[in-house]
Amino acid sequence: MLTVEDFNSHWGSLTPRQRISHLCQVERVTFSTSFGLEDQYLSYLIADSTIDIDIFTLDTGRIFSETYQLWRQTEDEYGIKIRGYYPERHDLQDYEEQYGINGFYGSVEGRQACCKIRKIIPLLNAIQGYDYWISGLRRAQSDNRKDLPFAEYDASNDIIKLYPLADVSDAALERVIATHQIPVNPLHEKGYASIGCAPCTRAIKKGEHPRAGRWWWEQGAQECGLHFVRGKMVRSKDFA
């Protein structure tokens, strides 16, 4: 079994494709995709390899129709299966009784409770039984991620998180997507830099931070709790 130190000492000299190939040395690897640019690149690399890596997504029940279309397109394009994980019905019913159908607009507490039901709990189910969890986080995404390692141990979930694209720049990502004609969400062309649930995502204005379109009605640090960097939940004034 490869350790966090093995990845951090070795991956710096490898390309993203070589990093995926390096995973032939381990088993029980899963990749979480939300169909963003980074995740589409990783789906392409995984499909183009011979490595046995399971792929899943969190279907919150509130994602854009364009995202569903991309989900199907990605499976068809690369001949892969992307397993969906969903919130529990009784949790949704309890939430709506307490906060209302769109209670996430009313308070940070209401929004975080919604994220927990629709994303956090399904995530915990999705990564059960795996030793490694691949994520598309990159250092260029925000100041809070500028020191992102290639790997770290997530003690909360007892799993090693891997970031094969940690050192990939915005320009390099755009270039590889264009070169390999990787399918992307058409909402990007409409100003949506980061795409999550439809009620919680808007297009950004010129000059705004790429994450400014997520939970835009809140002030201060905004996060859903999915990601941990160096063992801590990502929180940042820069919308990490």
Side-chain angles (χ1 to χ4, degrees), residues 26-178:
V26 298
E27 298 179 346
R28 299 196 297 182
V29 185
T30 191
F31 163 50
S32 58
T33 177
S34 59
F35 304 100
L37 299 178
E38 294 84 1
D39 295 339
Q40 288 302 99
Y41 180 25
L42 285 170
S43 291
Y44 160 75
L45 290 175
I46 290 170
D48 201 43
S49 75
T50 58
I51 311 303
D52 184 17
I53 298 174
D54 294 329
I55 305 177
F56 74 90
T57 192
L58 304 177
D59 185 349
T60 66
R62 302 298 293 267
I63 60 179
F64 289 90
S65 61
E66 289 88 346
T67 305
Y68 284 114
Q69 293 166 11
L70 182 59
W71 182 348
R72 176 62 182 272
Q73 181 183 2
T74 304
E75 289 185 323
D76 291 345
E77 179 82 12
Y78 298 128
I80 58 178
K81 174 63 179 177
I82 301 173
R83 183 188 299 273
Y85 283 82
Y86 308 87
E88 296 289 342
R89 179 180 298 178
H90 63 85
D91 288 338
L92 295 176
Q93 291 173 335
D94 290 345
Y95 178 89
E96 291 169 9
E97 289 179 5
Q98 180 175 355
Y99 296 101
I101 188 67
N102 284 338
F104 40 82
Y105 291 130
S107 67
V108 174
E109 175 189 336
R111 197 270 295 166
Q112 291 178 339
C114 186
C115 287
K116 180 178 180 180
I117 291 168
R118 295 182 183 274
K119 301 173 78 172
I120 307 302
I121 295 174
L123 170 71
L124 296 178
N125 293 329
I127 63 176
Q128 286 297 312
Y130 290 96
D131 295 322
Y132 303 92
W133 167 19
I134 298 172
S135 168
L137 294 187
R138 294 183 300 120
R139 295 167 188 164
Q141 289 172 326
S142 74
D143 289 342
N144 194 58
R145 296 174 183 171
K146 61 184 176 63
D147 297 320
L148 185 73
F150 289 112
E152 64 179 344
Y153 177 62
D154 180 348
S156 298
N157 297 305
D158 190 26
I159 196 168
I160 293 177
K161 289 197 70 176
L162 304 175
Y163 310 112
L165 306 185
D167 58 350
V168 174
S169 67
D170 293 342
L173 179 62
E174 293 173 2
R175 185 166 56 250
V176 75
I177 286 174

Side-chain angles (χ1 to χ4, degrees), residues 205-226:
K205 302 173 184 177
K206 185 176 181 180
E208 282 190 303
H209 190 279
R211 297 284 289 183
R214 303 290 292 277
W215 312 296
W216 69 91
W217 63 90
E218 293 182 6
Q219 300 298 317
Q222 293 153 308
E223 43 73 30
C224 68
L226 282 182

Side-chain angles (χ1 to χ4, degrees), residues 188-193 202-213:
H188 289 304
E189 295 185 357
K190 298 180 180 180
Y192 288 79
R202 66 162 174 80
I204 63 172
K205 302 173 184 177
K206 185 176 181 180
E208 282 190 303
H209 190 279
R211 297 284 289 183

